[in-house]
Amino acid sequence: RGCLGSLLAAEAMRAMGLLLAWVLLRPASTQQCHPSSPGSVLRFTDTHAEIRVPALHRVPSSLDPLYSLVRRYLDLIQQNPLPTELLRAALNEPSSVRTSEVVQYELGYVICAVVALLFTVAMPVAGLCFCYCRSRRRCGGRLRAHRRSLGCRRRCLLTCLSITSLIILTSAICALVTNQRVKEQMEPGLGAVPDTLRTLRQHIANVPQRAPLSSQGVQMVVDQFKVPRQQIISDLAGVSRSVGLSIHAQLKAMTYAALADLQERAGDLQTSLHHLQILDKTVRVLMAARAELEPVLRERRQRVVTLLDDPRCTSCASVLGRAQSLELGADYSKVPSVEKVLKTLAGLPRSDFAEMIRQGNGTFNSIPELAVERMAQVIQELREEMAQVSEKVQTIADGFPLPDYTRRVSEALLKVEDRSQPFLREVERFEWYRWIAGTALCSIILLIIACNVAGMVLGAYGLSKREDPSDYECRGEAGAKFLMVGVGLGFLFSWLLILLVFATFLVGGNIQTLVCRNWVNQEIYKFIDTPGNLPPSMNLTHQLNLRRDSNLSAAYRDCKSGAGLWEVLQLEKSYDLDEHLKTPKYTANFQKRLGDFTAHLGDVRLLRSEGRQDLETFARSGMDEVDYVRFQEEMKIPVVQTSLPGLARSLEGLQKMQRNGTVAERLATEAQALWQMQNSTVHTQEALVVKLGESVQFLSRLAPHLQERVKTTLATTASVEARLPVQAQQILRQEIACFTRKELRYFAQYLHWVRHTLREDVASCQPLATALDNGRVILCDRIADPWNAFWFSLGCCTFFLIPNIIFAIRLTKHFRPIRNRLM
């Protein structure tokens, strides 16, 4: 069983050695680059957020139904499309425009103008006639006779006047609200015109900035190269130590395993030598002790046998046989000698294995610092290369061709901005007058409504208190006077109302039908795009420097979809942006310097020659040839064949049974001598046997695998020493390749961002389309709609004043006493 266990242990140790050798000697697998961390995604500053044109949109309002009604009314008034021929003639040859053509196109407005003129003349004339009749007491006087149908007529007049008053009141409120809405939208709307023009001019002017110290436009985009440059320089500061730590981390398992194996073999050498010395010395001591014990034991046996064989000894025959077999057991002179092994190992170890392992460990652990030292020169060269790359990136801004294309647009926008300022100030001033006039006239309308309400309330109350229709009643008379005041205000101010309505209607209506309607359906763009419609001085395609096969409509659509200026202007023919933004143009030297770098990180010596000789001597010492089984078999034999303690106890038991005192005393003496021999000589030898057994057990376990283990350790150590520089160089190349790819991604991110920014932000013409859309929203949705709703509401008030006056005059008679009462 013991031999089988030793065989299994040996096989297990051999399998573990082969597995360790395979792990250490197998080719190193290709290392994968570490995945990009979140910090490897660069974040660039939004370069043009401050000069973008924010898009404006129509804001839903509770007045939208009114705006829609007014637009349908204007579409009914002006059903003609955009007067292309008339506008062409007016722009190219103003003298050729005939009045009849203008009147024909503006026929709806002409009819409205005639109606307004008739109203303006008729209302004051009717007011004068009413005043004349009133002076004759014919208009607004008293009823001449009381009839049964007067009550029904009075209620009908009250209802009609109430309805007209309610319509006028509603229209007046709408007029006041829209009047205020126009004022609120006009000021920011007018202010948005120069602001938008200025923003567009800044956007276009800032695109081609070439000054090295400029912080706008293309130069600002170029200046953002500081983001990848700072990141790369930061990475360069730590790449050498990172490479060294990576080499150390990937090779430490192999190196530490070899050092641990070497340390274990050195420990085996020390421990084996120690146990061999113990074994040799213990065997010698046991042999000497046996030689000394043999005569003493023989003499003691004779004495005990003689005593037990004495006839006077009662019952001693049972112990006599055991006493006769009292003799020595194990004979260690028969075990094999280890003197030859000790002679071979004499003087070992000649080398300090602990110091060797410490030095090898220290050399290996110094790889990160050594990598920093070896890579210092190339890191400095790469930093200098980054400065040269910054100069190459600057050429993007220096060669950008947009100034030749954007100068005319900037000059045109500046001219429009300067010329629009006086006009906008005049518009703002006239808007102020319009608002005052509208507010005042709306207040007068409200005053008329107030007179109507007061007149109807007082008149109705007076009628209810009047017992006789012919009696005078002050409240009814007061109601009649309030109604007459309202009538007088209606006659007095109706012509001013109609003039304000027509003036605002003529302006707002034409803006809606001539400009806004054709702006929404892009008829204006089509008119501008048609050759010959505009004079040469107003050729926008030439003014905006558009490509020859393009027009304003196409440019507007392209800009609205986010196209870049060079896509609209066809700048690709003069400036190939993709060619300027090719990554190798800026990274070739950087990549070459890293690709050409090589560094020797030093040799790690794990085992010197004297240490190797010590281990080889240890393996050849013959320790595995010693017959340790013979030792184990001899140790199984006791020092004395018969148990001395058992024999001593038997003698002590016989002592108690003796009648003869002399025999009893002699039995006690012999028992005491046996105990003394056991506790001194035999016990000491047994302790030496236990000590010998520990050494034999260790040596017997180690010896069968000694040569294989030492051979594996020496092969592994030599392999690790040979592979460390090679694998360190491979890992160095892999880490530098990973670092290069990482830094090239920074360049690629920046150049991709530059390409995207120059095409869609810095050099984008989307702000131009947004500005045009904003102009339409401001003019049509925010100003024209409430403007037109104002005159429409005020016009309703004005025209409903006519039935209001009629009903008020007719109702006045019913509030005054009747002249004659008919039964």
Side-chain angles (χ1 to χ4, degrees):
R1 184 179 299 176
C3 294
L4 181 59
S6 300
L7 181 61
L8 292 175
E11 292 299 327
M13 294 299 295
R14 179 177 300 176
M16 291 179 62
L18 292 175
L19 179 61
L20 177 62
W22 178 81
V23 170
L24 296 180
L25 299 179
R26 68 188 177 95
S29 60
T30 303
Q31 298 293 330
Q32 300 295 327
C33 295
H34 300 293
S36 299
S37 61
S40 63
V41 179
L42 301 178
R43 293 289 183 265
F44 300 100
T45 304
D46 191 358
T47 56
H48 276 65
E50 71 280 4
I51 60 173
R52 284 179 177 159
V53 178
L56 301 179
H57 303 282
R58 179 184 181 89
V59 180
S61 171
S62 58
L63 296 174
D64 285 347
L66 178 60
Y67 297 159
S68 178
L69 176 63
V70 175
R71 283 194 294 271
R72 285 197 295 270
Y73 173 75
L74 288 173
D75 290 339
L76 183 63
I77 294 296
Q78 177 58 281
Q79 300 180 7
N80 298 321
L82 183 69
T84 304
E85 300 296 332
L86 185 60
L87 288 176
R88 181 190 296 116
L91 292 173
N92 291 276
E93 296 181 8
S95 59
S96 64
V97 177
R98 291 177 294 180
T99 306
S100 59
E101 295 177 349
V102 177
V103 171
Q104 183 179 358
Y105 178 75
E106 296 281 343
L107 183 60
Y109 293 98
V110 171
I111 294 174
C112 292
V114 171
V115 173
L117 179 61
L118 292 176
F119 190 93
T120 304
V121 174
M123 285 301 288
V125 171
L128 292 174
C129 294
F130 176 74
C131 290
Y132 177 77
C133 291
R134 188 74 186 89
S135 64
R136 295 288 183 176
R137 298 181 180 274
R138 294 182 179 179
C139 297
R142 294 185 295 175
L143 294 173
R144 295 182 179 273
H146 178 73
R147 297 181 179 85
R148 294 180 179 179
S149 61
L150 288 180
C152 180
R153 186 183 301 176
R154 185 189 311 117
R155 287 190 294 274
C156 181
L157 290 174
L158 275 170
T159 302
C160 292
L161 184 58
S162 299
I163 293 174
T164 54
S165 299
L166 182 60
I167 293 174
I168 294 173
L169 177 62
T170 303
S171 301
I173 293 174
C174 290
L176 279 173
V177 172
T178 52
N179 185 55
Q180 184 64 28
R181 184 72 58 87
V182 172
K183 182 178 182 299
E184 293 173 355
Q185 295 293 338
M186 184 67 73
E187 184 175 353
L190 295 177
V193 174
D195 291 343
T196 302
L197 293 173
R198 190 179 306 111
T199 301
L200 287 176
R201 185 165 49 82
Q202 290 175 354
H203 174 77
I204 295 175
N206 289 339
V207 167
Q209 289 288 344
R210 292 188 179 187
L213 299 179
S214 172
S215 61
Q216 298 175 341
V218 177
Q219 185 60 42
M220 179 178 286
V221 176
V222 170
D223 289 343
Q224 285 296 300
F225 182 67
K226 65 184 179 182
V227 176
R229 184 181 67 235
Q230 291 173 357
Q231 182 64 47
I232 293 172
I233 291 176
S234 175
D235 291 347
L236 287 173
V239 64
S240 54
R241 178 166 292 277
S242 175
V243 169
L245 291 174
S246 180
I247 295 173
H248 183 273
Q250 295 184 45
L251 297 180
K252 67 180 181 180
M254 177 178 69
T255 305
Y256 288 165
L259 288 173
D261 194 31
L262 180 60
Q263 187 174 13
E264 186 176 354
R265 297 291 81 73
D268 289 345
L269 174 59
Q270 294 279 3
T271 308
S272 297
L273 184 59
H274 173 68
H275 282 289
L276 285 170
Q277 291 172 348
I278 291 176
L279 187 146
D280 182 68
K281 181 179 178 181
T282 304
V283 168
R284 292 177 184 274
V285 172
L286 286 172
M287 291 172 61
R290 188 178 190 280
E292 293 177 0
L293 180 61
E294 185 177 5
V296 176
L297 183 64
R298 186 170 54 250
E299 179 183 359
R300 183 59 53 194
R301 181 182 61 195
Q302 292 175 357
R303 291 171 64 88
V304 173
V305 169
T306 302
L307 177 60
L308 294 175
D309 197 31
D310 190 340
R312 294 175 295 175
C313 186
T314 303
S315 301
C316 293
S318 60
V319 184
L320 180 60
R322 293 168 58 190
Q324 291 174 348
S325 64
L326 186 64
E327 59 184 11
L328 292 176
D331 185 2
Y332 288 95
S333 61
K334 299 177 181 180
V335 297
S337 174
V338 293
E339 290 184 3
K340 182 180 178 181
V341 178
L342 287 174
K343 284 182 180 181
T344 304
L345 297 178
L348 295 184
R350 289 184 294 271
S351 57
D352 189 349
F353 281 95
E355 179 62 20
M356 276 193 302
I357 294 172
R358 188 190 65 80
Q359 289 180 359
N361 196 26
T363 304
F364 177 72
N365 290 336
S366 65
I367 286 179
E369 288 73 17
L370 189 62
V372 172
E373 178 183 345
R374 294 287 191 270
M375 296 185 68
Q377 179 64 30
V378 71
I379 295 300
Q380 181 60 32
E381 293 175 356
L382 291 173
R383 286 174 177 161
E384 295 173 357
E385 177 63 26
M386 289 306 300
Q388 298 177 7
V389 173
S390 298
E391 296 176 358
K392 293 180 182 179
V393 173
Q394 180 60 39
T395 60
I396 299 175
D398 296 339
F400 212 65
L402 277 179
D404 301 334
Y405 294 87
T406 59
R407 188 179 301 109
R408 295 181 183 177
V409 179
S410 298
E411 292 174 355
L413 289 174
L414 179 61
K415 186 182 296 184
V416 172
E417 183 181 348
D418 293 338
R419 292 183 177 179
S420 65
Q421 293 292 344
F423 173 75
L424 294 176
R425 285 194 292 270
E426 289 298 318
V427 171
E428 187 174 1
R429 184 168 63 90
F430 283 114
E431 165 57 23
W432 172 253
Y433 295 150
R434 186 209 62 79
W435 180 79
I436 293 177
T439 303
L441 292 176
C442 288
S443 301
I444 292 174
I445 292 174
L446 293 178
L447 182 59
I448 293 173
I449 299 303
C451 292
N452 287 350
V453 173
M456 287 187 290
V457 171
L458 290 174
Y461 184 68
L463 288 176
S464 64
K465 296 297 181 181
R466 184 188 302 169
E467 296 178 358
D468 189 340
S470 62
D471 293 340
Y472 178 81
E473 212 286 320
C474 62
R475 284 180 288 270
E477 186 65 27
K481 290 181 178 179
F482 270 110
L483 290 177
M484 295 307 295
V485 170
V487 169
L489 292 174
F491 280 123
L492 186 61
F493 292 100
S494 58
W495 67 278
L496 291 176
L497 287 170
I498 198 63
L499 287 180
L500 180 60
V501 168
F502 179 73
T504 53
F505 160 73
L506 187 62
V507 175
N510 276 289
I511 289 176
Q512 173 61 35
T513 57
L514 190 62
V515 178
C516 295
R517 186 170 63 190
N518 296 292
W519 198 340
V520 171
N521 57 28
Q522 298 189 1
E523 289 295 328
I524 291 180
Y525 297 142
K526 295 178 183 178
F527 174 79
I528 295 174
D529 293 336
T530 303
N533 283 350
L534 297 178
S537 59
M538 297 178 63
N539 189 345
L540 292 182
T541 301
H542 179 72
Q543 292 285 342
L544 298 178
N545 208 9
L546 301 176
R547 60 178 187 258
R548 295 180 179 179
D549 60 340
S550 181
N551 51 43
L552 187 60
S553 298
Y556 169 77
R557 288 192 299 269
D558 292 342
C559 292
K560 191 173 182 63
S561 63
L565 283 178
W566 56 73
E567 183 178 345
V568 176
L569 304 178
Q570 283 190 337
L571 297 182
E572 294 89 347
K573 297 179 180 179
S574 60
Y575 188 83
D576 190 351
L577 184 62
D578 293 332
E579 180 66 28
H580 284 78
L581 297 180
K582 285 184 177 179
T583 304
K585 181 177 180 180
Y586 306 96
T587 61
N589 291 338
F590 185 91
Q591 190 172 2
K592 186 176 184 300
R593 289 182 186 274
L594 284 173
D596 295 342
F597 173 74
T598 57
H600 181 63
L601 300 180
D603 296 330
V604 179
R605 301 296 297 173
L606 304 181
L607 182 64
R608 292 195 293 269
S609 59
E610 58 270 23
R612 182 177 296 275
Q613 292 175 3
D614 287 349
L615 292 179
E616 290 175 349
T617 302
F618 179 42
R620 296 193 306 267
S621 63
M623 190 181 74
D624 55 332
E625 299 174 358
V626 177
D627 188 2
Y628 298 102
V629 176
R630 185 71 188 87
F631 279 93
Q632 295 170 350
E633 292 176 351
E634 197 65 32
M635 286 187 295
K636 294 177 182 178
I637 302 174
V639 177
V640 180
Q641 291 288 357
T642 302
S643 174
L644 293 180
L647 183 58
R649 284 192 290 271
S650 297
L651 294 177
E652 290 174 350
L654 290 174
Q655 176 194 355
K656 298 176 181 180
M657 298 170 59
Q658 301 301 319
R659 298 190 183 100
N660 190 317
T662 303
V663 174
E665 183 179 353
R666 289 180 63 189
L667 285 172
T669 301
E670 292 302 325
Q672 183 65 29
L674 289 175
W675 279 115
Q676 185 177 0
M677 183 183 296
Q678 172 66 31
N679 293 333
S680 59
T681 305
V682 176
H683 184 73
T684 301
Q685 290 186 39
E686 289 176 347
L688 289 175
V689 171
V690 173
K691 184 177 181 181
L692 178 65
E694 294 175 354
S695 298
V696 170
Q697 185 179 6
F698 173 81
L699 294 172
S700 63
R701 286 200 310 266
L702 178 63
H705 313 288
L706 176 61
Q707 291 191 14
E708 183 180 353
R709 289 185 180 181
V710 172
K711 182 179 179 181
T712 301
T713 299
L714 293 176
T716 300
T717 305
S719 175
V720 170
E721 289 179 345
R723 292 174 64 85
L724 270 177
V726 177
Q727 291 195 10
Q729 193 63 227
Q730 291 177 354
I731 297 172
L732 174 67
R733 300 306 314 153
Q734 293 167 1
E735 290 296 322
I736 288 180
C738 290
F739 174 78
T740 303
R741 287 194 289 272
K742 177 183 176 183
E743 305 311 308
L744 292 183
R745 282 198 296 268
Y746 292 142
F747 282 103
Q749 285 184 52
Y750 169 72
L751 295 175
H752 175 76
W753 176 79
V754 170
R755 181 182 293 104
H756 174 80
T757 304
L758 290 182
R759 284 181 171 175
E760 300 186 13
D761 189 358
V762 174
S764 172
C765 67
Q766 191 170 20
L768 298 174
T770 304
L772 290 175
D773 291 339
N774 290 350
R776 181 186 57 78
V777 171
I778 293 172
L779 178 62
C780 300
D781 296 339
R782 299 193 177 184
I783 295 179
D785 277 351
W787 175 291
N788 290 327
F790 165 73
W791 62 254
F792 187 82
S793 301
L794 193 62
C796 288
C797 296
T798 304
F799 282 102
F800 272 95
L801 281 178
I802 297 175
N804 179 81
I805 291 173
I806 295 173
F807 294 142
I809 293 175
R810 298 291 300 274
L811 188 58
T812 300
K813 297 180 179 182
H814 292 271
F815 293 157
R816 287 178 174 151
I818 299 175
R819 293 182 181 180
N820 299 317
R821 182 178 180 183
L822 300 176
M823 298 304 294

